[in-house]
Amino acid sequence: MAAGSKGNCYICGAELGKTAMKNHLLKAHGGEEGGQECALLKIEGAYNKDYWLFIDLPWEKSLNDVDKFLRKIWLECCGHMSAFSVSRIDEVAKSQKLDNFYVGDKLLHEYDFGSTTETIVTVVGVIKRKPQREIVRLLARNVPPQFQCAACGSPADFICTQCIYDSDNPFYCDKCADKHEHDEMLLPVTNSPRMGVCGYEGELDMYTFYSGRVMVGDRKK
């Protein structure tokens, strides 16, 4: 993906870069009068920061709630273990509440200690929202990257987990995937830093952004 990927605001549909999105959320959607005070978190791939999310959740909720959400949208494949830490050294208990952290604090999240996917969680602000049915509200997400089939140049549907190591382009469209020599090693292209790892096949459709559909509270219309 190109550096500086853009993303969509799940409240109003605006398409902005990562930094602009943070400012947009705080200015345009962060001051619900009489609303519940929440932590605004930026979450991004540790090694590919063009995969990113903005979420909010009440300060009295815990890192365990963040972990559960990350598993649903980005990570879960085989029920692996996960952990939070500071600078890869000091592990932070998942029971730790968000009100123990301050704006500017960063945590490393690791999922699967064999084929590990690492993400960085940063507290970037304070936001107010109406009470929500769900603890975590997805506010923004990077636009899904587009990859070209190595064989024909069409939009790719699959990534070959063998060709990741053997080729500069491990992506294949559905048609060419049927003829690929490593067809048993193919996994779906996903909008996640865990794409192509272990048995990861993608998040629930409820987290996909559709143009023209924006969030109302914690529901799409």
Side-chain angles (χ1 to χ4, degrees):
M1 286 187 293
S5 65
K6 290 188 176 182
N8 294 113
C9 173
Y10 276 46
I11 298 177
C12 69
E15 185 172 305
L16 300 165
K18 193 190 309 181
T19 300
M21 184 64 75
K22 180 197 74 171
N23 295 332
H24 168 75
L25 293 170
L26 289 170
K27 292 178 181 178
H29 306 299
E32 184 70 42
E33 186 175 349
Q36 183 179 34
E37 192 169 276
C38 299
L40 175 63
L41 305 183
K42 176 181 68 177
I43 306 173
E44 53 196 344
Y47 299 106
N48 192 336
K49 291 184 171 58
D50 285 341
Y51 289 109
W52 51 269
L53 312 167
F54 283 94
I55 65 173
D56 67 9
L57 68 167
W59 287 102
E60 66 268 18
K61 298 303 179 181
S62 69
L63 292 176
N64 188 53
D65 296 303
V66 178
D67 177 76
K68 288 179 180 178
F69 182 79
L70 286 176
R71 286 172 177 268
K72 289 179 181 178
I73 192 171
W74 262 3
L75 303 171
E76 189 64 87
C77 62
C78 304
H80 297 292
M81 296 178 66
S82 61
F84 290 93
S85 65
V86 177
S87 302
R88 304 178 187 273
I89 299 173
D90 300 318
E91 185 169 339
V92 180
K94 291 180 188 175
S95 59
Q96 191 86 266
K97 292 185 178 180
L98 290 174
D99 58 13
N100 289 298
F101 302 99
Y102 300 92
V103 173
D105 285 350
K106 290 187 178 185
L107 294 168
L108 176 70
H109 180 267
E110 297 173 273
Y111 173 82
D112 178 6
F113 298 109
S115 301
T116 310
T117 298
E118 299 181 6
T119 55
I120 298 171
V121 180
T122 307
V123 183
V124 294
V126 180
I127 198 167
K128 289 186 177 181
R129 72 182 194 192
K130 292 180 180 179
Q132 304 288 308
R133 179 176 58 190
E134 300 292 337
I135 292 173
V136 176
R137 180 173 63 156
L138 176 61
L139 297 172
R141 185 180 190 179
N142 68 280
V143 174
Q146 300 297 311
F147 302 97
Q148 291 185 325
C149 175
C152 72
S154 299
D157 301 293
F158 297 95
I159 182 171
C160 176
T161 57
Q162 177 62 43
C163 292
I164 287 175
Y165 306 103
D166 301 337
S167 170
D168 291 334
N169 186 356
F171 297 96
Y172 295 89
C173 69
D174 186 62
K175 182 178 179 180
C176 294
D178 288 338
K179 300 175 285 186
H180 183 55
E181 60 179 328
H182 306 133
D183 60 332
E184 75 285 356
M185 303 293 287
L186 297 173
L187 287 173
V189 167
T190 64
N191 190 14
S192 164
R194 194 162 176 79
M195 179 177 64
V197 179
C198 194
Y200 183 70
E201 295 187 345
E203 79 286 350
L204 300 174
D205 287 341
M206 64 183 288
Y207 296 122
T208 302
F209 178 83
Y210 297 100
S211 180
R213 297 177 65 190
V214 297
M215 299 296 290
V216 178
D218 57 353
R219 299 186 304 169
K220 289 178 181 172
K221 69 173 183 178

